[in-house]
Amino acid sequence: MKKYCLLFTILILCMHSISAKIKNGYEKEIISRRLSLKGLHDILRSNNNLSLSEKKKIKDKIKSLIDYISYYELTENLLEQLRTIAPDLYHEIDTIKDSKGSITDVYVKFIPKEQARIQAAGTTSIAHAADDRNTYSSEYGEGTVAVNIWIVSKALWVLSHELGHVKYQVPNLSSYLQFHKDNYHNRITDPNCVGHNTNDPSGKNAISFDHKFNENYIDYQRKGNNHVVSPLVLIQDIRKRVQLEMMAVYPLASL
C-alpha cells in the first residue's frame, strides 16, 4: 500500500511540474543557497580560530545568501499577486506553447536595479535553440524564456508588460527574430525602446497586456481588496523576516 501511495505522490508531483510554466528564476538554486547558509553558520559557530578577516568574508557571503533568499521569496510573493489579480493573463502565459505546440517555461526574477546588465526596468530574453529557430532558449535551457524585472514600485505592471512580449514572441519566434534583426541590430538604440518600434507586433502585444493588467487591477480594487504593497517595501520586510528567522536558528550569529 505504501508503495502505491509513493507512486501516486510522484505522479502528482510530475504532473504539477509539467503544468507549471511560470517559474521563479531563483528556484533552481534556492536549496543549495539555503544549505550554504547553514554551512557558513556552522563554520562561524564551531570554529573559534577564525581571523577577523575570515569572519568578515563569511559574514559577507551570509549577507549575499540572505539577499538571494529574500529575492526568491519576493518573486514567489509577486507571482502569486499576479495570479490573484489577473488570473486570465497569468493563465495565458502559464499555458504558453511555441509554434510546434511544445511547452515553454517562463522564468521570472525580480532583481535590484544595480544587478541589471541592461538599463531597462523589464527585459525579456530573445534567442533560439542551436538547431531550431522555433524553439526558445535562455540561460535556463531550451524551451525557456528569461524575464528580469527591477524591484520598483510598479514591478507588477512592468512584469505584465514583459509577459505581453512573451505572449507574442514564443509562438512567433522565427519570424520575430528576423523582424528584430531588421529593426534593431547594428543600431544605437535605447534599451527601453527595443521591442517598441511603431510597427513591432511584440511591442503592441505588450501594450495590450498593460491595459489588461490595469483593468484587472481596477476590478481587484473595486471588489474591496487592499492596494498592492510596493515591492520596495515588501523586499525590506522579507529581508528582515529572513534575518530574524536566521537569528532564531543561529542565536550566536550576528551580521
Side-chain angles (χ1 to χ4, degrees):
M1 184 64 179
K2 289 182 178 179
K3 180 179 179 181
Y4 290 118
C5 289
L6 177 60
L7 288 173
F8 181 74
T9 301
I10 292 173
L11 178 61
I12 292 298
L13 290 173
C14 290
M15 290 174 63
H16 178 73
S17 65
I18 290 173
S19 64
K21 305 298 187 302
I22 298 180
K23 298 183 177 182
N24 188 326
Y26 295 99
E27 186 171 357
K28 286 189 174 183
E29 293 186 33
I30 190 62
I31 293 177
S32 64
R33 298 295 178 108
R34 291 187 191 278
L35 289 173
S36 295
L37 182 61
K38 180 182 183 304
L40 290 173
H41 276 300
D42 287 342
I43 292 172
L44 278 182
R45 185 171 53 178
S46 61
N47 193 329
N48 296 321
N49 298 318
L50 294 172
S51 66
L52 289 176
S53 62
E54 287 173 329
K55 287 183 179 179
K56 183 179 185 305
K57 286 180 181 179
I58 291 175
K59 289 183 177 182
D60 286 344
K61 289 180 181 178
I62 288 174
K63 183 180 182 302
S64 177
L65 289 168
I66 288 175
D67 285 343
Y68 188 95
I69 293 168
S70 299
Y71 299 144
Y72 164 80
E73 294 199 10
L74 175 70
T75 300
E76 286 285 283
N77 187 297
L78 293 177
L79 287 178
E80 178 59 23
Q81 285 190 39
L82 177 69
R83 189 191 65 79
T84 301
I85 296 169
D88 292 341
L89 185 153
Y90 188 98
H91 181 72
E92 284 189 59
I93 306 303
D94 201 42
T95 57
I96 197 167
K97 296 179 179 180
D98 64 22
S99 61
K100 300 181 299 180
S102 300
I103 62 173
T104 301
D105 293 329
V106 181
Y107 285 86
V108 177
K109 274 186 175 181
F110 289 89
I111 64 173
K113 181 178 178 180
E114 58 270 19
Q115 286 186 10
R117 289 178 291 180
I118 299 174
Q119 291 305 299
T123 58
T124 296
S125 66
I126 177 167
H128 64 84
D131 57 350
D132 188 352
R133 288 178 63 85
N134 293 298
T135 297
Y136 233 103
S137 183
S138 78
E139 63 193 89
Y140 301 98
E142 291 189 5
T144 70
V145 184
V147 176
N148 288 337
I149 308 296
W150 288 358
I151 301 172
V152 292
S153 60
K154 291 289 186 179
L156 280 178
W157 280 260
V158 179
L159 175 60
S160 66
H161 180 92
E162 292 306 313
L163 295 183
H165 285 298
V166 172
K167 177 64 176 177
Y168 181 83
Q169 290 170 199
V170 168
N172 299 284
L173 182 60
S174 182
S175 61
Y176 187 69
L177 282 167
Q178 187 60 50
F179 176 90
H180 197 275
K181 180 179 179 181
D182 293 341
N183 287 271
Y184 302 114
H185 284 203
N186 301 319
R187 299 183 185 185
I188 299 175
T189 307
D190 182 338
N192 290 286
C193 295
V194 174
H196 295 96
N197 188 309
T198 53
N199 61 334
D200 190 320
S202 176
K204 291 178 181 178
N205 209 62
I207 293 173
S208 174
F209 264 48
D210 285 342
H211 296 322
K212 285 181 182 179
F213 180 77
N214 207 48
E215 289 171 0
N216 286 152
Y217 181 67
I218 292 172
D219 185 56
Y220 180 76
Q221 285 185 303
R222 284 174 179 166
K223 292 177 180 178
N225 297 296
N226 295 327
H227 290 278
V228 174
V229 177
S230 168
L232 293 170
V233 175
L234 195 55
I235 186 59
Q236 297 302 322
D237 292 342
I238 289 173
R239 186 179 282 110
K240 288 177 183 177
R241 176 172 56 77
V242 172
Q243 289 176 335
L244 287 173
E245 289 173 355
M246 178 195 70
M247 294 298 292
V249 177
Y250 304 101
L252 297 179
S254 175
L255 296 180

